[in-house]
Amino acid sequence: MKSTPDTIAVDTTCPYCGVGCGVKARPAMVEGDSSHPANSGRLCVKGAALHETLVPAGRLLAPRVKGREVDWTGAAGAVAGAIRDAVDRYGPGSVGFYLSGQLLTEDYYIANKLAKGFIGTPHVDTNSRLCMSSAVAAHKRAFGEDCVPGCYEDLELADLLVLTGSNAAWAHPVLYQRMKAAARAGRKVVVIDPRKTATTELADLHLALKPGTDTILFNGLLAWLADQDRLDRDYLDNHCRGFEEALASARRAGPSVAMVARQCDLAPADVECFFRWFAETPRTVTAFSQGINQSVAGTDKGNSIINCHLATGRVGLPGAGPFSLTGQPNAMGGREVGGLANTLACHLDYDSPGARELVAGFWGTDRLPEQPGLKAVDLFDAVYRGEIRVLWIMGTNPAVSLPQSDRIGEALARCPTVIVSDCVADTDTTAFADILLPAAGWGEKDGTVTNSERRISRQRKFLPLPGDVRPDWWIMSEVAGALGHGPAFRYETPLDIFREHAALSGIAGRCFNIAPMASLGPEQYDQLTPIQWPVVARADGRVQGTRRLFSDGRFATPDGKARLVAVETVAPVQSPTDDYPLIVNTGRVRDQWHTMTRTALTPKLLAHRTEPFIELHPEEAGRRGVEAGDLGILSGPDGGEYMGRIRVTPEMRSGEVFIPIHWNRRFTPMGLASSLIRPVTDPVSGQPESKHGTARLRRLKTRWHARLMRRSEVPGWSDLPGQYRVRQPLANSQLWSLAGGGEVRWATEVEDLLGGPPQLLMADPAEGRFRAARLCEGRLEGVLMVDSDGANLPDSAWLDTVFALAELDEPVRRSLLAGRALDSDDAGALVCSCFQVGENQICQAIAEGVGDVETLGRKLRCGTNCGSCLPELKALLAEVQQSRPVAEV
Ligand code: SF4
C-alpha cells in the first residue's frame, strides 16, 4: 500500500473531541478544513499538532499472544479459542467487551454485532459511559430517543447562551471560538460552574455554584417561571406530558429565589438575574457537558435542564434548545450502533416492542441476549469477581480512566484472558493483556464518525498500515470467522459495513435513520460530505441531512409528546467528612487528551501543563498549610492517593480542589485522578460521579528537588529516588522531575542515574546543591540538577536544545551546570503552544507597555493561531497591570 503523496491533502476528521472538526491532512502537515461545517477551517492546538503525533515511537506493530509475536491466523485463533472456551464452560455472559468513543462507527457496529448477535453476550459497554451516558438517559426520558435536537449554529444564534458544567474553552475549543465570535450587542452568556475557568471569560454572569446543586438551580428556575407566568402553556398542553409532577418536585427543591440561592451558595440577585434573562429570552440555548453528566444524579440534572426548555417551548428551534456537548470524537456514533450495554442496535432498546426479533432477523442470528448487559463500572466489578472470563478492550485505557484505578488493575490481573486492541504498545491497560492486537490509528483507518450535532463525517485514510497493523473491523471479522461466523462477517471494505448499518436504521423505525445512505456507491462514500442525521432522500436522488429535530413539537415517544420528568434533589454520595474535607473536581487541561497516549507524543502539547497539579483557593491553601509550588498529596477514603504540584488560585471555591484526568503510570506513579474517585454511579445512566470525589490534603515534606534529563529512558520508577517522580518527554530528551524527603547520596547515585560517570560535576553539600553532566563522544547524554529549593532549578528548555547538538563548544560546556546559556533569558512557563511563547516573555512585553492581547499577538504572535491561550493572555495582562504601582497604571 502506498502512502498518499505529501503534497495531496486528504479531507478527514480530528480524532479528539466531540466538536468533530474537519482536517485537511498530509503526513507532515495538517490544516483546518474551511469547507467543514463544524469548524470552517479552525483547529485548536491539539488538532493543529496532529501531524506531530504521527510517529513510529511506541506503536504496537504485530499481534502478541502471551508476550510472543504471532501472525494474524494465530492471533485470531487465540482470541476465538479463549471466547469459545469461556462460552462453552461458563456461558456467553462470561465474555465482555469494553469499547471506545475513539472507534469509528463501522468498527463499533461490528463489535456490537459480533458480541450481542453471534457470541450472545449483552456485556458490551464503552468508555462513553464515563462521558455522556447521563445525557443519553435524559434524552431518552424526555424525547423518547437519544437525540440532540439542535446544531452548532444554535449556539451562535442564541441571544442567551447558558453553559453549565462545561469548560468549553479547553474541552471544546473550536466550538468555544464559534460562541465567542458570535458576541453581539444584546447577546448574553451565563456560565454555571463552581470554578472560574477560561470559559468564564465569555460570561456576562458567572454562577459559581456549590458543586452538586445544579438540579436545585434548574428546578428553582422551573418553579420561578411558573410563578412569574412565563411558561408556554400551549406548548405544554399540546406537546408535553408530566408538567404538573415536574413542577411539584421543582417547588419542593426551590420554592423561592432566596432558598435556591442559599442551597446553591449563590447571591440571590445573581440567581434572579439568571432566571429573568432565561424568562425574557426566547432564543436560549443551554449547553451542558461533563459537569452535569458525571454525577450520581446526572440524568436528573439533564432532565431538570430539559424541563425548563420544554416548559418554555424552546426545543429544536433556531437558537433555542438544550444541547449536550459530547466529549469524544465518536461517542455519538457508538450510541447509534448500540455500543452502550443497555441498548441493542440502531437506537433500539431491549424492551422496544419487537426490537429483538427485528435485529435478530436482520443479522440472521438466534443468539441475541434477552436482557441488557453490565454498564462499565458493573462490568469491571464482574471481571473482579471472576464472572467475566474473557474481556476484550478496544482503543481505551480503563486502568487509568475508571474510578478506583488500582482495583481496575486488580480486576484485569485476575481476569483469565484480557484482549487489548490498541495502536500503542505500552499503556497502563496493555500491561495486563494476554493477547495484544495492533489496531490502525488515526490516518490509517477509514470510516465515519458522528459529532455532537449529529453530523456524520468521514475519517479518511492517508497513511499506509505499518507492520501487521489492521483496522478494528477487519480484526473482529477475522475472529468472527475463526468462531465459525464467517458468512455474517464477510466485509471487504468499511462501506460494506456502513451500508448494512444504514439499512438496519431504515427498518428500526427510530429518529436515527440514515437508510437512504444504504445504497451509497464506493465513489459516493469516498466523497461523502458531512451530513446530519436523520437523512432523507431527495427527489434528485441525492441525500439530505436534518439540521434540527422536534421543531414541530412531535417527539419520539409512542404518543409523540415529550416528557417533563419530576426530579428530586440528590446530594452527592461522595460528600466531604471531617476526615476527607475537600471536594475533588476532576477535568481536562487545554492541550491534553484523555490519557495522553497520542497528545504526549508531541512535546509542545506537554509544555502548557508539565506535571500533575492540585488547584485550590488561597484560603484553602492557608488552611491546609500549603503554598504555590509545594507538592501536595491528596488521600481518598478508599486509600487512593494522588500527588501533584500545588497551584493556588482565587478561581477555585474554598473547600474544593481541581485535578487533571490525564496523567497515568507511564508519566508518574502517583498522579491518577481516578484513584481518588469511588465507583458510585447514577442509578439511571450508570455514569460515575467523577466530578465529586473527596480527599484530605497534606504537603509532601521535601529536602531536595531534582531534574534528571537523559537522551534515553532510565529503567523504571523504582530506580529513581524520591516520592515525587514525573516524566516529561521533551523534543530531544526525557525529563524527570523528582523530589523527596529522605537523604540521597547523589555522588554515589549519579552514575546510575546518568547511565555512566559524569564528566562535569559540582557539589555544594552545605546548600544542598549537586549538579552533574555526562558527555559521550562530545554529545550531552545526561544532566542531573539537585537543589534544596526547587525554585533554584533551571528551566529545562535550554538544556533540551543542547541534547540536539552533535558537538558542544566551550561556551555551551561552561553553561551546562548552570542549566542555561549564560547570556540568554528564560522564556518561562509555556503559554502559547502554537508559537512557543512563554510567560516571562509575555510579562516582559506587558511591563514594556503592551496593553492588550491584539498588540501582544502582533509583537510575539501568541494567541494569533488557534486562540486557545487568549484567556490566559488576558489573565496575565490583568495580573501584571494590577501589580504595577498606581501611578504607572
Ligand atoms: Fe479536534 Fe476538538 Fe480541537 Fe476540533 S476542537 S481540533 S475536534 S480537539
Side-chain angles (χ1 to χ4, degrees):
M1 242 171 282
K2 281 189 177 165
S3 168
T4 304
D6 208 19
T7 47
I8 300 171
V10 170
D11 292 350
T12 183
T13 312
C14 174
Y16 294 126
C17 83
V19 178
C21 295
V23 176
K24 287 196 170 290
R26 298 175 176 89
M29 180 185 169
V30 296
E31 292 169 289
D33 179 354
S34 55
S35 69
H36 197 290
N39 58 317
S40 303
R42 298 175 176 98
L43 289 180
C44 77
V45 64
K46 294 187 287 288
L50 268 167
H51 59 291
E52 295 172 32
T53 67
L54 301 172
V55 292
R59 282 300 300 269
L60 178 63
L61 293 171
R64 294 182 203 164
V65 177
K66 301 277 183 201
R68 286 190 50 214
E69 287 195 5
V70 297
D71 62 15
W72 274 110
T73 306
V79 174
I83 292 173
R84 196 182 295 117
D85 185 53
V87 171
D88 288 349
R89 295 172 65 187
Y90 304 99
S94 63
V95 179
F97 282 67
Y98 190 62
L99 311 176
S100 160
Q102 267 74 27
L103 293 176
L104 304 184
T105 301
E106 291 77 357
D107 300 323
Y108 245 129
Y109 178 85
I110 294 299
N112 197 47
K113 179 177 175 180
L114 173 64
K116 292 178 187 160
F118 289 84
I119 296 172
T121 177
H123 306 311
V124 183
D125 213 42
T126 158
N127 64 5
S128 299
R129 180 72 58 195
L130 317 180
C131 164
M132 40 78 281
S133 57
S134 293
V136 171
H139 290 153
K140 287 167 82 168
R141 292 203 303 192
F143 307 139
E145 189 173 337
D146 172 23
C147 298
V148 172
C151 56
Y152 290 161
E153 186 188 37
D154 294 330
L155 299 161
E156 297 163 325
L157 293 175
D159 294 322
L160 173 63
L161 176 61
V162 182
L163 282 158
T164 180
S166 160
N167 181 8
W170 282 16
H172 298 96
V174 165
L175 205 50
Y176 172 81
Q177 287 169 31
R178 286 183 61 169
M179 297 174 203
K180 192 172 170 196
R184 57 186 178 271
R187 173 177 156 103
K188 295 190 180 69
V189 178
V190 177
V191 174
I192 303 170
D193 195 316
R195 291 192 300 149
K196 187 173 179 217
T197 65
T199 302
T200 51
E201 186 220 354
L202 208 59
D204 298 287
L205 175 66
H206 173 208
L207 299 178
L209 82 179
K210 181 178 164 189
T213 59
D214 318 72
T215 312
I216 296 169
L217 185 67
F218 283 94
N219 265 343
L221 172 60
L222 184 66
W224 191 88
L225 291 168
D227 292 343
Q228 301 292 318
D229 199 17
R230 304 303 293 256
L231 303 172
D232 187 334
R233 291 281 176 186
D234 283 348
Y235 191 88
L236 281 169
D237 290 345
N238 294 318
H239 304 293
C240 304
R241 287 186 189 276
F243 171 67
E244 295 304 334
E245 295 84 348
L247 181 61
S249 67
R251 286 199 199 287
R252 281 194 291 279
S256 69
V257 166
M259 279 196 68
V260 170
R262 189 170 53 73
Q263 294 177 84
C264 297
D265 196 16
L266 294 168
D270 288 347
V271 172
E272 185 160 355
C273 176
F274 167 50
F275 288 2
R276 201 161 21 81
W277 285 356
F278 193 101
E280 290 169 354
T281 318
R283 285 189 170 212
T284 293
V285 167
T286 306
F288 60 101
S289 193
Q290 266 81 322
I292 293 294
N293 298 335
Q294 292 179 335
S295 156
V296 285
T299 310
D300 281 353
K301 288 180 182 182
N303 281 113
S304 70
I305 292 166
I306 295 170
N307 283 349
C308 295
H309 278 268
L310 288 171
T312 47
R314 299 173 189 162
V315 176
L317 301 177
F323 200 106
S324 157
L325 294 171
T326 301
Q328 299 196 83
N330 197 29
M332 193 174 296
R335 289 143 73 178
E336 290 159 10
V337 305
L340 290 163
N342 49 315
T343 60
L344 190 55
C346 268
H347 280 207
L348 290 167
D349 288 326
Y350 280 88
D351 58 1
S352 310
R356 283 187 64 253
E357 295 72 20
L358 185 147
V359 175
F362 185 83
W363 283 343
T365 181
D366 56 4
R367 287 190 174 84
L368 267 192
E370 294 186 0
Q371 301 289 336
L374 297 169
K375 296 167 186 158
V377 169
D378 296 335
L379 175 69
F380 278 83
D381 266 352
V383 175
Y384 188 89
R385 291 193 303 269
E387 292 161 20
I388 299 286
R389 313 283 304 176
V390 177
L391 182 66
W392 192 346
I393 299 164
M394 291 180 208
T396 184
N397 202 355
V400 177
S401 51
L402 274 167
Q404 262 187 343
S405 48
D406 287 346
R407 192 164 186 271
I408 298 299
E410 275 182 56
L412 292 171
R414 289 172 174 215
C415 186
T417 306
V418 175
I419 304 157
V420 180
S421 302
D422 210 310
C423 39
V424 179
D426 296 316
T427 71
D428 290 32
T429 300
T430 60
F432 295 98
D434 300 286
I435 303 175
L436 262 174
L437 304 173
W442 184 78
E444 298 159 0
K445 54 187 181 180
D446 205 44
T448 55
V449 289
T450 311
N451 73 1
S452 294
E453 59 166 353
R454 292 174 281 105
R455 193 179 295 281
I456 298 169
S457 297
R458 290 277 278 109
Q459 230 188 61
R460 292 184 176 89
K461 175 181 162 68
F462 59 93
L463 293 169
L465 293 171
D468 278 343
V469 164
R470 295 289 181 274
D472 287 287
W473 66 265
W474 183 93
I475 297 170
M476 287 181 278
S477 299
E478 287 293 294
V479 171
L483 283 166
H485 306 306
F489 291 85
R490 245 176 226 137
Y491 304 105
E492 296 289 321
T493 64
L495 172 60
D496 297 339
I497 305 165
F498 185 83
R499 282 200 198 116
E500 185 177 308
H501 171 49
L504 179 55
S505 78
I507 58 172
R510 308 297 286 156
C511 271
F512 171 69
N513 187 339
I514 55 170
M517 296 162 88
S519 54
L520 288 185
E523 203 173 316
Q524 289 166 303
Y525 181 69
D526 197 42
Q527 291 173 7
L528 186 69
T529 51
I531 186 166
Q532 285 173 285
W533 63 257
V535 172
V536 293
R538 290 195 330 198
D540 62 5
R542 301 175 73 179
V543 292
Q544 183 178 316
T546 307
R547 194 175 289 194
R548 297 183 182 84
L549 292 173
F550 314 135
S551 311
D552 58 358
R554 279 201 60 77
F555 292 88
T557 52
D559 62 6
K561 292 191 173 186
R563 305 287 191 269
L564 282 88
V565 181
V567 289
E568 303 291 343
T569 303
V570 177
V573 168
Q574 302 172 89
S575 288
T577 61
D578 288 348
D579 286 340
Y580 300 97
L582 293 166
I583 295 170
V584 178
N585 186 358
T586 66
R588 300 180 193 282
V589 302
R590 191 190 74 190
D591 292 1
Q592 287 304 320
W593 178 252
H594 278 196
T595 58
M596 311 201 300
T597 44
R598 179 178 288 277
T599 39
L601 292 171
T602 167
K604 85 176 185 193
L605 293 183
L606 255 175
H608 174 241
R609 292 283 184 272
T610 59
E611 53 188 349
F613 59 85
I614 301 168
E615 275 184 356
L616 76 173
H617 190 273
E619 276 173 18
E620 199 58 57
R623 208 173 292 139
R624 306 289 155 204
V626 293
E627 292 178 3
D630 282 350
L631 293 167
I633 301 174
L634 290 165
S635 308
D638 287 349
E641 292 203 317
Y642 169 99
M643 198 186 295
R645 186 79 60 187
I646 297 290
R647 294 173 62 92
V648 177
T649 165
E651 297 173 353
M652 294 292 299
R653 288 168 51 96
S654 258
E656 297 162 23
V657 294
F658 176 81
I659 58 175
I661 60 169
H662 308 288
W663 273 267
N664 56 71
R665 295 176 191 88
R666 292 175 64 233
F667 297 93
T668 177
M670 241 176 85
L672 275 74
S674 56
S675 63
L676 295 177
I677 302 298
R678 293 171 57 204
V680 290
T681 57
D682 179 303
V684 183
S685 69
Q687 183 152 359
E689 190 183 43
S690 303
K691 287 282 181 189
H692 208 285
T694 58
R696 61 171 169 249
L697 174 65
R698 69 182 192 277
R699 187 171 69 87
L700 176 72
K701 291 190 185 122
T702 51
R703 287 176 64 169
W704 56 265
H705 299 258
R707 288 215 176 108
L708 170 66
M709 296 174 75
R710 289 268 303 261
R711 182 180 298 283
S712 55
E713 300 212 5
V714 292
W717 294 120
S718 56
D719 298 305
L720 295 170
Q723 287 89 2
Y724 182 71
R725 289 161 286 168
V726 175
R727 180 173 69 91
Q728 183 190 349
L730 302 175
N732 307 300
S733 63
Q734 299 281 323
L735 163 69
W736 287 264
S737 297
L738 311 167
E743 195 175 332
V744 179
R745 293 176 181 278
W746 296 106
T748 314
E749 298 284 331
V750 66
E751 206 166 314
D752 281 346
L753 291 171
L754 293 182
Q759 282 73 43
L760 303 171
L761 195 75
M762 187 276 287
D764 182 351
E767 293 291 322
R769 198 165 291 160
F770 183 93
R771 297 188 177 190
R774 178 168 174 256
L775 309 174
C776 210
E777 295 175 1
R779 301 179 76 192
L780 182 60
E781 280 299 313
V783 187
L784 176 65
M785 306 267 172
V786 185
D787 205 294
S788 56
D789 182 351
N792 291 336
L793 291 172
D795 186 74
S796 55
W798 178 78
L799 279 169
D800 185 53
T801 63
V802 179
F803 277 92
L805 301 177
E807 221 172 287
L808 310 190
D809 60 19
E810 197 45 38
V812 170
R813 283 176 73 101
R814 268 194 286 111
S815 302
L816 274 180
L817 296 187
R820 64 180 176 84
L822 294 173
D823 56 354
S824 80
D825 291 330
D826 175 7
L830 189 78
V831 175
C832 172
S833 297
C834 297
F835 295 113
Q836 298 285 290
V837 186
E839 186 175 318
N840 292 351
Q841 294 169 284
I842 295 162
C843 291
Q844 176 67 30
I846 300 169
E848 286 167 4
V850 172
D852 54 65
V853 287
E854 291 75 23
T855 317
L856 270 177
R858 280 195 295 276
K859 190 173 168 78
L860 301 172
R861 298 184 73 197
C862 49
T864 57
N865 187 37
C866 78
S868 301
C869 64
L870 286 171
E872 281 168 88
L873 295 178
K874 285 192 178 160
L876 279 175
L877 272 162
E879 201 179 300
V880 176
Q881 286 167 345
Q882 247 174 23
S883 65
R884 276 188 212 159
V886 176
E888 246 188 78
V889 181

